[in-house]
Amino acid sequence: MTFTNDATRPYAEVIGDPIAHSKSPLIHGFWLEVLGIDADYRATHVTPEALPGYFAQRRADPHWRGCNITIPHKLAALDHVEDRGGVRGTIGAINLALRVDALDDEGDAIIGTNTDAGGFYAPIAGLDLSGAPVTVIGAGGAARAILFALSKIGVGPVTILNRNVLKAAALLATFGLKGQALPLNAGIGPCALLVNASALGMAGQPPLDVDLSALPEDAVVYDVVYAPLETALLKAARARDLETVDGLDMLIGQAALAFEMLFGAEPPRDRDEDLRALLTK
Ligand code: NAP
């Protein structure tokens, strides 16, 4: 695989294998157009074997601003970037590589970071969750970013429900969270925030069947799955008149942080309704 290109202006991209499904080009393309920024954002197919060659080529390309990173490269990409924020020891995966000035004034450097934690937090930043009980379903990559964010907020006890309970217990320890790890069928107890961070409910995956009757009236239900957008979990929460946050909120939130770092401009968040319409067309 070769990654030569004819770019004559700044560009960024999302890399993955497969990559055709990614919504990142639509999001970043929309913001670039609204702001009238003379730059591109594209999707580039990169296989695991091609990853070292990809970073070698892009490092030498002055037009390349950076890339979003998706499955299966979120961990392997750490070997090709500077990990100034210590992401390897916390979230354990990056979703953004970025060209920045080198610390030693020798040209530039590529750093890795993760905007999923900030993207998850943005839609719930107005909630007071300090000391509040939280339930998270899932213990994969998305859950790691979410638990990292929850540990920074200082939430109360965290219950993680996951198929692999040991993996969930290890995450509580990794993020210094008090709480418990339980199997998926343990049921949802009372909590202030319920997050589905698993693949359950996603198109092509088994459904997520949970009973929300134990949730208090002011509980917030957050589903990170965005395909479909209206998941069975969110439907059940709305049927109970609970506040909900959907997967596009997090997806747009993580992209907004990345956009600012890639293109040095704040995305036009007052156009979110138009963007959501574009993404759900
Ligand atoms: P991942 O690392 O592969 O983790 C998948 C999680 O789902 C694990 O907890 C896994 O349980 C569980 N799971 C998968 N299949 C299952 C099954 N058949 N039965 C029971 N549990 C199952 O994936 P991820 O990257 O965390 O992604 C999870 C979801 O979050 C996906 O739908 C993804 O699209 C979404 N996501 C959304 C955003 C956003 O911005 N909105 C960002 C990232 C991810 P085990 O641990 O037991 O295997």
Side-chain angles (χ1 to χ4, degrees), residues 134-138 143 146-147 150 158-162 193-195 197:
V134 174
T135 301
V136 175
I137 302 168
I146 288 164
L147 292 164
L150 292 174
V158 175
T159 301
I160 306 180
L161 305 180
N162 197 48
L193 174 67
L194 168 66
V195 185

Side-chain angles (χ1 to χ4, degrees), residues 16-274:
D17 179 22
I19 198 58
H21 66 286
S22 174
K23 292 192 184 293
S24 294
L26 272 179
I27 300 174
H28 290 270
F30 174 82
W31 287 333
L32 286 171
E33 193 181 323
V34 170
L35 293 176
I37 294 176
D38 186 24
D40 287 324
Y41 188 103
R42 55 176 83 155
T44 300
H45 180 215
V46 179
T47 60
E49 310 74 55
L51 195 64
Y54 166 80
F55 275 107
Q57 194 283 330
R58 292 301 191 253
R59 194 177 286 277
D61 179 350
H63 296 296
W64 182 81
R65 300 297 314 145
C67 63
N68 280 111
I69 298 155
T70 189
I71 291 169
H73 304 314
K74 286 186 170 193
L75 188 58
L78 266 164
D79 294 338
H80 303 282
V81 299
E82 285 181 30
D83 181 19
R84 290 187 193 167
V87 176
R88 194 188 285 275
T90 56
I91 300 175
I94 56 172
N95 73 344
L96 180 66
L98 195 67
R99 188 189 293 286
V100 296
D101 290 335
L103 289 177
D104 54 11
D105 278 343
E106 283 186 15
D108 47 18
I110 300 175
I111 59 159
T113 186
N114 192 313
T115 62
D116 278 339
F120 162 75
Y121 177 65
I124 56 167
L127 301 178
D128 180 11
L129 290 168
S130 164
V134 174
T135 301
V136 175
I137 302 168
R144 290 186 75 99
I146 288 164
L147 292 164
F148 175 76
L150 292 174
S151 72
K152 297 289 173 202
I153 304 169
V155 295
V158 175
T159 301
I160 306 180
L161 305 180
N162 197 48
R163 176 174 60 179
N164 180 336
V165 179
L166 282 181
K167 198 166 139 191
L171 287 192
L172 287 175
T174 298
F175 295 106
L177 291 162
K178 290 199 170 57
Q180 54 184 346
L182 298 171
L184 279 173
N185 62 4
I188 309 286
C191 58
L193 174 67
L194 168 66
V195 185
N196 175 36
S198 78
L200 297 174
M202 189 178 158
Q205 298 292 325
L208 176 60
D209 289 320
V210 287
D211 177 358
L212 302 184
S213 56
L215 293 183
E217 280 175 10
D218 58 352
V220 176
V221 177
Y222 194 146
D223 200 337
V224 306
V225 170
Y226 55 82
L229 189 56
E230 176 79 352
T231 59
L233 175 67
L234 294 183
K235 267 188 205 145
R238 286 181 191 131
R240 270 212 50 202
D241 267 344
L242 300 175
E243 193 180 325
T244 58
V245 183
D246 67 35
L248 273 192
D249 288 327
M250 175 169 167
L251 190 73
I252 294 171
Q254 64 76 27
L257 296 169
F259 186 89
E260 210 166 328
M261 289 188 263
L262 289 167
F263 299 111
E266 265 184 50
R269 297 299 302 272
D270 57 332
R271 298 288 302 275
D272 271 11
E273 281 313 309
D274 297 330

